[in-house]
Amino acid sequence: MSRISGRPAISNEHVYGLSLRVARWRAGTPGTPLLFLNGIGADLVAAAPLLAQIHDREVWTLDMPGVGGSPDALLPYGAPTIAAVVMEIADRLEHKMIDVAGFSWGGALAQQIAIQFPGRVRRLVLMATTPVMGAPGIGWAAMFDDDMLASGLKIQTATPLGIAYQSAAMIGWSSVGFLSGLKELPALVLMGEQDGVMPACYGEMLADQIDGAVLEMVPGSHLFPFTHAAAISARISAFLDQPAPAKQAAA
């Protein structure tokens, strides 16, 4: 456990036939907790240097089936199913309202959660992601990303079945036509300036679909949340700490 940055509390949650490894940093800290959803094949160890630097709030994440400390799923699953699984864990943690940040594949899942569970998400952070997931091999493309090659990060820890099921869960998935329904939900969209896996046009699509979303280009390529962890954690914290919009505060 000592190799995981910030030494989070680790547990295993059994939900709908799945066993999922969950990590919590600063568990029980007052305020709205932040859920982080990782990219395809990436585990909580890879995310830990980023999440450990997001202070003054509880931050939690989990390994998807077949990734890191979570064993393979027995059956394939779809985006709505895994979103329901994640929110069941949120309920067990007594998180009725959450902030959600998602990277790449996890950014698509973050959108699914916001759409599927209206009223449960206070703020949304989408990083290096898209409203249209049509390329199941996109996680492997990140292996040849400039940041990945330069940093020596070990991102992929999934089994072949884990990768296959994660990929299949998002084949043909799209949030286009649904994101416009996220009224009054503050959203921050971060895209890497040199990202060849998720170019800026995808971030522009997201910002166009989400009313009032803020789109920012940041240094780095696809893996910027990991290779520029200090700057990204600070930007996420600043966004989450902003005063709530008047209509959201009244609700």
Side-chain angles (χ1 to χ4, degrees):
M1 300 301 179
S2 61
R3 72 188 184 97
I4 304 179
S5 297
R7 300 193 177 188
I10 304 293
S11 64
N12 289 288
E13 297 292 335
H14 302 278
V15 183
Y16 306 150
L18 299 173
S19 179
L20 301 171
R21 180 171 68 162
V22 175
R24 302 172 72 188
W25 287 260
R26 295 167 295 281
T29 300
T32 306
L34 172 66
L35 163 64
F36 175 78
L37 299 167
N38 218 333
I40 192 168
D43 69 359
L44 59 86
V45 177
L50 170 69
L51 303 185
Q53 295 184 71
I54 301 176
H55 300 294
D56 301 323
R57 69 189 76 248
E58 178 173 337
V59 182
W60 65 286
T61 189
L62 68 157
D63 288 341
M64 289 295 144
V67 178
S70 296
D72 286 326
L74 296 177
L75 298 170
Y77 53 86
T81 297
I82 202 66
V85 167
V86 170
M87 293 307 287
E88 171 63 23
I89 295 174
D91 288 340
R92 294 182 184 186
L93 299 179
E94 300 184 347
H95 295 167
K96 299 305 179 186
M97 180 70 74
I98 58 175
D99 295 324
V100 183
F103 161 67
S104 196
W105 185 97
L109 182 58
Q111 296 169 61
Q112 179 69 36
I113 287 173
I115 293 165
Q116 190 170 334
F117 295 91
R120 295 287 303 272
V121 178
R122 187 186 72 111
R123 288 179 183 261
L124 184 64
V125 181
L126 302 175
M127 298 179 284
T129 193
T130 172
V132 181
M133 283 292 256
I138 205 161
W140 296 112
M143 296 291 287
F144 304 100
D145 178 83
D146 290 342
D147 281 346
M148 182 70 185
L149 296 173
S151 68
L153 284 169
K154 304 297 183 184
I155 298 295
Q156 296 279 359
T157 61
T159 66
L161 187 61
I163 283 285
Y165 281 0
Q166 264 196 286
S167 298
M170 291 296 180
I171 292 177
W173 175 90
S174 175
S175 61
V176 173
F178 295 96
L179 291 177
S180 60
L182 300 180
K183 302 296 185 183
E184 314 304 333
L185 176 62
L188 174 65
V189 181
L190 301 178
M191 305 297 289
E193 291 174 344
Q194 290 84 42
D195 191 345
V197 178
M198 288 289 184
C201 61
Y202 292 110
E204 293 167 359
M205 290 171 64
L206 286 166
D208 287 343
Q209 286 276 311
I210 303 173
D211 185 33
V214 175
L215 170 63
E216 295 180 9
M217 301 302 297
V218 299
S221 47
H222 190 60
L223 299 176
F224 67 81
F226 305 119
T227 57
H228 296 70
I232 298 305
S233 63
R235 183 65 188 95
I236 292 173
S237 294
F239 173 70
L240 298 181
D241 288 340
Q242 289 176 357
K247 290 183 180 180
Q248 190 182 56

